[in-house]
């Protein structure tokens, strides 16, 4: 039976608006990553690694640089919405592409929940008279409206949010260094050698696996390929810049944090950053951090909801998800309004889940997608494209192969609970695909990836 294809340029559903250059794409990726996201799981990873969060970030960044390069290579070849779903589908076929997209849905659907959850936690702590759920619901409504209005409004908000976080980072660094120099007993090696409570490299790897959720920004940049100017050039550059910049910021911030508060004993492990801020700059820095962190969480929610709605749009456009709902763009705003509203409704689950569980599941989905993209480079360029020669072997086999091995290593370092629930999610996706294809007797619909 022939493949069912959809030409997304002529199906009467409109087109995404190309409005983003390299700076806007990098800002989008950095806001999605949230420079202050280092503090989201800071307490959890500090305890897991025994006070070696910067070392865990170094390992994660190493793996992510190889993977980001694979994303950049595929984005240059296939400048379309859909990210790992599109790349894997084009390289390995519609069925495997669907599984990769389904894994992406896990982390993209859960990441906005992390942001809404921490918004509720920190604002409720600052204004205890107001229940946390009011902040959560208000944030979901505001973010959904902004995403419906259009990607340009998101890009403009990103500039403001990055500026606010940059001011905080410099303030934190200045106060933190001042507080440490006053003690005269700073051990600069401690953030890499640990505090002795969780020895062994396996603990560092377990922490590094959790930290993968911090690097979803470069994947998010790739989802905007149909809204980027000169996507084959701008998107790959933005992916690499956002990955390296975000990783260096994470390492620097976690290094300063562990020097300012060299302990894994927190008042509340989920909000361990507040103990760090109190030690580094007292009440002033604590209040400043809360404001900057909540702003960053709002920005990440903006960008993460924008990304997942476009993945749903890409999957709906080809008929794997209901096209009449997910595969449509608003004639007025040129955005996938129904998909955006659906993400907003799912995000209400933030009212009923905990931070540790969401963080683990986001990392599971991300690592599955990262592994698939690394393998897609080998399949697309070497096996299908028949690239030969020493340079091709190094560029399209060795480097993505290293990226795949590193992401696989991190994936196996996740907790057994995470692996079990993630496996159940994948089985649900495969079962859904079986229904769509009537027991795999029909071909899975595929996108028309021509320009």
């Amino acid at each position: 039976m022939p493949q069912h294809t959809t030409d997304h340029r002529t199906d009467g559903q409109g087109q995404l608006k190309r409005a983003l250059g390299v700076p806007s794409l990098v800002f989008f990726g950095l806001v999605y990553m949230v420079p202050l996201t280092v503090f989201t799981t800071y307490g959890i990873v500090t305890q897991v690694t025994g006070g070696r969060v910067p070392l865990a970030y170094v390992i994660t960044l190493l793996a992510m640089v190889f993977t980001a390069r694979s994303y950049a290579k595929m984005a240059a070849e296939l400048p379309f919405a859909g990210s790992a779903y599109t790349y894997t589908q084009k390289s390995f076929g519609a069925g495997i592409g669907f599984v990769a997209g389904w894994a992406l849905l896990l982390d993209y659907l859960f990441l906005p929940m992390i942001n809404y959850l921490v918004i509720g936690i920190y604002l409720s702590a600052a204004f205890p008279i107001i229940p946390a759920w009011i902040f959560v619901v208000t944030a979901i409504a505001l973010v959904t409206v902004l995403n419906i209005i259009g990607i340009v409004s998101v890009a403009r908000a990103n500039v403001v949010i990055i500026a606010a976080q940059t001011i905080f980072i410099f303030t934190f660094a200045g106060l933190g260094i001042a507080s440490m120099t006053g003690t005269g007993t700073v051990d600069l090696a401690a953030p890499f050698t640990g505090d002795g409570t969780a020895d062994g490299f396996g603990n560092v790897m377990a922490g590094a696996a959790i930290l993968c959720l911090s690097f979803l920004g470069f994947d998010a940049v790739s989802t905007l390929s149909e809204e980027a100017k000169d996507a084959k050039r701008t998107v790959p550059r933005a992916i690499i810049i956002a990955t390296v910049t975000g990783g260096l910021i994470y390492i620097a911030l976690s290094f300063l944090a562990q020097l300012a508060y060299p302990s894994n004993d927190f008042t509340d492990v989920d909000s361990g950053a507040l103990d760090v801020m109190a030690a580094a700059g007292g009440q002033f820095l604590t209040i400043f951090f809360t404001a900057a962190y909540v702003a960053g969480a709002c920005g990440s929610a903006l960008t993460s909801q924008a990304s997942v709605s476009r993945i749903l749009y890409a999957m709906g456009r080809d008929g794997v998800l209901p096209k009449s709902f997910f595969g449509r763009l608003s004639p007025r705003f040129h955005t996938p309004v129904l998909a955006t509203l659906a993400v907003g409704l799912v995000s209400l689950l933030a009212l009923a889940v905990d931070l540790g569980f969401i963080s683990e599941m986001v990392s599971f989905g991300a690592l599955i997608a990262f592994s698939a993209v690394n393998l897609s480079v080998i399949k697309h360029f070497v096996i299908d494209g028949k690239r030969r020669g020493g340079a091709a072997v190094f560029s399209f086999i060795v480097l993505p192969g290293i990226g795949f091995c590193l992401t696989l290593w991190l994936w196996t370092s996740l907790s057994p609970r995470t692996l079990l629930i993630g496996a159940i999610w994948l089985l649900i996706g495969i079962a859904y695909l079986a229904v769509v294809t009537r027991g795999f007797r029909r071909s899975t619909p595929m996108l028309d990836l021509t320009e």
Side-chain angles (χ1 to χ4, degrees):
M1 190 170 180
Q3 297 283 3
H4 301 284
T5 61
T6 300
D7 186 340
H8 55 271
R9 295 168 291 116
T10 59
D11 62 1
Q13 301 303 323
Q15 291 180 300
L16 293 167
K17 183 179 180 181
R18 292 193 179 276
L20 306 178
V22 172
S24 294
L25 291 168
V26 171
F27 274 127
F28 185 94
L30 289 176
V31 173
Y32 193 103
M33 295 168 78
V34 188
L36 299 187
T37 198
V38 63
F39 298 114
T40 299
T41 56
Y42 179 82
I44 297 171
V45 178
T46 296
Q47 292 188 346
V48 169
T49 62
R52 293 175 287 179
V53 178
L55 180 58
Y57 264 119
V58 169
I59 294 170
T60 307
L61 176 59
L62 178 63
M64 294 303 102
V65 165
F66 286 100
T67 299
R69 181 186 177 278
S70 292
Y71 268 85
K73 291 294 183 184
M74 295 304 295
E77 287 284 303
L78 305 171
F80 308 100
S83 186
Y85 166 61
T86 298
Y87 308 151
T88 309
Q89 180 198 68
K90 182 63 175 178
S91 300
F92 292 100
I96 296 178
F98 174 85
V99 174
W102 190 258
L104 264 180
L105 283 179
L106 185 64
D107 54 81
Y108 274 113
L109 285 171
F110 274 46
L111 191 58
M113 294 184 208
I114 292 181
N115 293 298
Y116 296 129
L117 181 60
V118 297
I119 287 171
I121 290 173
Y122 283 103
L123 288 183
S124 181
F127 306 98
I129 194 172
I130 303 176
W133 70 266
I134 293 181
F135 293 114
V136 172
V137 173
T138 301
I140 292 173
L142 177 62
V143 166
T144 300
V145 169
L146 285 175
N147 270 306
I148 288 174
I149 292 174
I151 197 66
V152 174
S153 68
V154 175
R156 290 169 179 166
N158 288 347
V159 175
V160 176
I161 292 166
I162 283 291
Q165 293 198 50
T166 300
I167 294 172
F168 169 79
I169 288 172
F170 280 106
T171 304
F172 169 68
L175 293 177
I177 292 172
S179 68
M180 289 181 285
T181 54
T183 65
T185 59
V186 179
D187 181 4
L188 296 178
F192 296 96
T193 59
D195 55 23
T197 59
D199 293 330
F201 192 67
N203 291 315
V204 178
M205 288 298 299
I210 295 173
L211 296 177
C212 286
L213 66 88
S214 303
F215 287 87
L216 286 173
F218 69 78
D219 183 286
V221 171
S222 71
T223 68
L224 298 178
S225 289
E226 292 184 40
E227 290 159 279
K229 303 173 184 176
D230 191 10
K232 291 186 176 183
R233 182 184 63 87
T234 58
V235 173
R237 290 174 60 185
I239 287 173
I240 299 298
I241 293 171
T243 302
V244 174
T245 302
L248 293 177
I249 291 173
Y250 295 151
I251 293 170
L253 285 177
S254 59
F255 179 78
L256 288 174
Q258 297 214 260
L259 290 180
Y261 188 75
S263 171
N264 64 9
D265 184 15
F266 301 104
T267 303
D268 181 354
V269 68
D270 285 343
S271 58
L274 294 179
D275 293 315
V276 175
M277 300 307 146
Q283 185 178 11
F284 162 74
L285 192 61
T286 301
I287 294 173
F288 191 3
F289 165 76
T290 300
Y293 185 79
V294 168
C298 288
S300 182
L302 272 169
T303 51
S304 59
Q305 186 170 7
S307 292
V308 70
S309 65
R310 281 150 181 79
I311 290 174
L312 291 173
Y313 165 69
M315 297 181 76
R317 192 171 56 189
D318 71 0
V320 174
L321 294 179
K323 181 177 180 179
S324 60
F325 188 91
F326 291 105
R328 291 184 175 274
L329 295 177
S330 164
R332 178 179 178 183
F333 299 113
H334 301 282
T335 55
V337 173
L338 294 178
T340 302
L341 289 172
V343 177
L345 290 175
V346 172
S347 295
L348 290 173
L349 290 174
L351 300 171
V353 292
D354 65 83
L355 183 61
F357 171 74
I358 300 177
S359 300
E360 291 178 357
M361 296 315 303
V362 169
S363 292
F364 177 92
L367 287 169
I368 291 290
F370 293 168
S371 299
V373 173
N374 280 309
L375 291 178
S376 293
V377 171
I378 298 174
K379 177 68 163 54
H380 181 79
F381 289 97
V382 178
I383 298 177
D384 296 335
K386 301 187 184 302
R387 300 287 184 94
R388 299 292 183 264
V393 169
F394 181 75
S395 183
F396 302 123
I397 296 181
V398 175
L399 294 182
I402 292 173
F404 172 75
C405 291
L406 289 173
T407 53
L408 183 62
W409 189 12
L410 290 173
W411 185 74
T412 57
S413 299
L414 291 169
S415 69
R417 179 186 71 163
T418 302
L419 295 175
L420 175 61
I421 297 176
I424 293 173
W425 172 261
L426 291 179
L427 288 175
I428 292 173
I430 294 172
Y432 174 77
L433 182 60
V435 172
V436 170
T437 58
R438 297 187 179 182
F440 304 105
R441 291 190 297 271
R442 286 187 173 184
S443 299
T444 302
M446 293 185 68
L447 289 171
D448 177 4
L449 298 177
T450 58
E451 292 192 80

